[in-house]
Amino acid sequence: MPKVTIESLDDFGRGIAHLNNKVIFVENALPEEVVEIEIINDKKSFSEAKVTKYLKFSKNRVESICPYFDTCGGCNLLHLEFLNTLIFKQNKIKNLLKKHKLNYDKGLEIVKNDNPIYYRNKVSLKIENGHLGYYEENTHKLVEIKECMMAKHSINEVIKNYKLLHLENAKLTIRSNYNDEILIIIETDTKEYDIELAKLKEKIKLVGIIYNNITIYGENFFYERINGKLFKVSYNSFFQINENITSKLFALIENNIDKDSIVLDLYSGVGTLGIVASSNAKEVYSMEIIKNAVLNGITNAKLNQKTNIKFMLGDVAKLVDKVNLAFDTMIIDPPRKGLDKKTREFILKKLPTKIIYVSCNPNTLMRDLKELESIYEISDYKILDMFSYTYHVESFCVLKRK
Ligand SMILES: C[S@@+](CC[C@H](N)C(=O)[O-])C[C@H]1O[C@@H](n2cnc3c(N)ncnc32)[C@H](O)[C@@H]1O
């Protein structure tokens, strides 16, 4: 078996090594480790490998606290000492800024997750032939699990009792809120259901079950409470998956909205960031594509006694063309694909003085920052550890017009 020394980590937390001048990405291998490898995927310009024997361990290696780490595709950094997972994220962003030749020299502060395990308030699992689990990374091979250490305890209670749902093949999404209440969302080809409701309700605080988009028990929404603000969230509306980091994100938004500014809040979900911004702002205009989320947003403005926020339903790329709004500040929190060309052009036409860009995908964020670079400078960049122990990075960026 070939022997290699791991030099660094790639963006997905895999070890990088070289063999015969070819780059090799090695699963479950950390910098400074010496390992014997087996090539599992040999491409023209790179290879992928797995470790067959560790000859020297890294001092930063820890034993994974999750028994499914070796096979499950959910988390990627559980073999790395926690502080080093944050350094990994810092390096990832530093390297991306450098790769895109973006200027930012103020330091990348990490906003820490106070509870880096049992934090997720939403998980999506697969049930195949009655077995429940996640898929192995980049495959459709089920890894059966009995617990997920990233999910909140309330979600794990559902996982423990999933047999009460009597599902053979389905996608099972479990959501939980600040009060550990539960929404169960089932998508399946099977029309009939046979759920042991009474027993399930003894185990969990069940708010609703949505079966193929039909509410078959209770409600199809629950309420979230963050920093004293209350939000109605429908089963198919987005909500940030980490309550602790969301609370810190709200504080960052509040601190960065100038008094009496006029804010355009794109990709607004249930109105969270716009509602937070509306405390300082004179007016807020929020845009979102999911109807339930917009309806939730309208309710949430009322629940939080906000009268200076308006919601628009539709695709941001189309809405920005139609509305003729005067605004000086933007909040942008797009899905992973980032901004489309139309929206970037809209920004460069309107030239707001400040843009707060919240992103769950640093690759598309960098692309968008590069497009805006001639007019906007990055005045603050923070890394939010929203997805602890995974390679995913949430970014909070403030751009100011030069
Ligand atoms: C990352 S979430 C942010 C939501 C909200 N800002 C929050 O913090 O809860 C992105 C949101 O964009 C919405 N979305 C996705 N594509 C969109 C589009 N083309 N136009 C408008 N909204 C869109 C999604 O439904 C989702 O609510």
Side-chain angles (χ1 to χ4, degrees):
M1 291 287 174
K3 182 175 110 176
V4 294
T5 301
I6 306 299
E7 298 149 26
S8 56
L9 290 178
D10 77 352
D11 283 356
F12 306 102
R14 298 177 301 179
I16 301 179
H18 284 85
L19 188 67
N20 305 328
N21 290 326
K22 196 172 182 182
V23 66
I24 321 259
F25 299 106
V26 190
E27 284 170 14
N28 197 348
L30 297 173
E32 294 176 18
E33 290 190 329
V34 182
V35 290
E36 282 183 3
I37 54 167
E38 181 191 337
I39 306 286
I40 48 175
N41 189 9
D42 199 16
K43 300 263 186 195
K44 204 170 165 206
S45 56
F46 68 91
S47 300
E48 291 171 320
K50 65 176 187 188
V51 177
T52 52
K53 194 173 180 186
Y54 291 90
L55 302 172
K56 184 187 157 205
F57 283 115
S58 159
K59 61 181 185 319
N60 297 324
R61 176 175 285 276
V62 289
E63 197 165 329
S64 163
I65 45 173
C66 173
Y68 311 108
F69 173 66
D70 285 343
T71 43
C72 176
C75 306
N76 337 81
L77 301 176
L78 277 164
H79 57 326
L80 189 56
E81 185 273 318
F82 182 63
L83 206 61
N84 279 281
T85 69
L86 304 181
I87 296 170
F88 161 82
K89 292 182 188 199
Q90 255 174 341
N91 287 338
K92 180 168 170 168
I93 297 302
K94 258 186 223 162
N95 292 341
L96 278 170
L97 286 165
K98 197 169 157 195
K99 181 176 155 197
H100 289 265
K101 297 194 176 70
L102 284 159
N103 283 329
Y104 181 70
D105 53 15
K106 290 190 197 158
L108 293 162
E109 186 194 327
I110 301 250
V111 177
K112 284 196 190 147
N113 181 6
D114 295 342
N115 321 302
I117 52 172
Y118 297 114
Y119 63 86
R120 278 192 78 101
N121 63 15
K122 179 183 174 188
V123 296
S124 285
L125 298 135
K126 291 278 174 197
I127 299 180
E128 284 181 4
N129 304 317
H131 299 282
L132 171 116
Y134 291 114
Y135 280 153
E136 241 178 54
E137 180 118 55
N138 302 324
T139 72
H140 282 164
K141 207 168 144 202
L142 192 80
V143 178
E144 201 170 353
I145 61 153
K146 292 197 164 36
E147 186 193 27
C148 171
M149 301 197 74
M150 295 303 116
K152 288 179 59 160
H153 293 296
S154 48
I155 289 182
N156 276 302
E157 276 308 303
V158 184
I159 292 176
K160 257 192 235 160
N161 292 288
Y162 84 97
K163 291 227 157 119
L164 296 174
L165 299 170
H166 292 282
L167 296 168
E168 266 304 289
N169 292 294
K171 179 178 173 196
L172 176 67
T173 300
I174 310 165
R175 297 183 75 162
S176 180
N177 66 2
Y178 75 104
N179 195 26
D180 291 336
E181 290 164 331
I182 293 285
L183 278 176
I184 294 179
I185 301 133
I186 298 163
E187 293 161 77
T188 174
D189 291 337
T190 313
K191 293 212 169 59
E192 307 290 314
Y193 53 84
D194 171 27
I195 297 169
E196 292 187 67
L197 252 184
K199 280 195 186 158
L200 201 57
K201 280 161 60 182
E202 278 171 22
K203 313 270 183 198
I204 57 171
K205 293 192 208 171
L206 185 62
V207 169
I209 302 180
I210 297 93
Y211 193 90
N212 286 339
N213 277 312
I214 294 167
T215 308
I216 58 165
Y217 169 76
E219 306 286 1
N220 66 1
F221 65 89
F222 55 29
Y223 291 93
E224 263 299 357
R225 186 186 284 279
I226 306 265
N227 296 2
K229 291 189 168 58
L230 201 60
F231 300 98
K232 183 177 178 181
V233 184
S234 285
Y235 75 101
N236 62 342
S237 298
F238 176 90
F239 203 86
Q240 303 287 357
I241 58 99
N242 181 326
E243 290 156 21
N244 181 253
I245 290 289
T246 306
S247 147
K248 295 177 181 180
L249 170 63
F250 281 14
L252 286 171
I253 294 283
E254 198 156 2
N255 291 340
N256 278 282
I257 296 292
D258 299 325
K259 192 107 194 87
D260 291 334
S261 50
I262 301 182
V263 178
L264 183 60
D265 167 30
L266 301 186
Y267 313 93
S268 54
V270 301
T272 44
L273 306 184
I275 286 171
V276 170
S278 70
S279 301
N280 287 343
K282 191 170 165 203
E283 289 161 34
V284 179
Y285 299 93
S286 294
M287 294 180 181
E288 162 64 44
I289 202 164
I290 300 288
K291 188 173 175 189
N292 269 346
V294 170
L295 294 172
N296 293 159
I298 294 166
T299 303
N300 293 336
K302 286 191 193 126
L303 282 175
N304 294 288
Q305 289 93 41
K306 302 294 181 189
T307 52
N308 55 343
I309 173 162
K310 288 196 174 60
F311 291 88
M312 283 162 260
L313 171 66
D315 181 346
V316 156
K318 294 185 183 136
L319 282 177
V320 288
D321 254 1
K322 282 192 200 132
V323 291
N324 189 19
L325 294 168
F327 58 93
D328 48 55
T329 304
M330 278 180 106
I331 298 173
I332 312 173
D333 185 6
R336 290 189 61 73
K337 66 180 175 162
L339 301 179
D340 54 79
K341 194 163 170 275
K342 266 259 156 77
T343 310
R344 289 196 299 264
E345 283 167 6
F346 169 78
I347 296 171
L348 291 171
K349 193 168 104 193
K350 291 287 187 175
L351 298 176
T353 36
K354 191 190 264 188
I355 301 174
I356 300 171
Y357 195 145
V358 181
S359 160
C360 59
N361 183 348
N363 292 302
T364 53
L365 169 68
M366 298 292 163
R367 177 205 62 202
D368 294 341
L369 294 182
K370 193 73 195 164
E371 289 283 324
L372 301 174
E373 187 194 26
S374 59
I375 314 281
Y376 290 94
E377 65 179 0
I378 307 170
S379 79
D380 191 14
Y381 196 128
K382 290 189 178 16
I383 293 170
L384 280 64
D385 193 27
M386 181 81 85
F387 312 100
S388 300
Y389 283 117
T390 78
Y391 61 71
H392 293 286
V393 179
E394 182 87 4
S395 300
F396 174 87
C397 241
V398 181
L399 309 181
K400 292 208 173 131
R401 210 169 68 199
K402 286 180 185 167

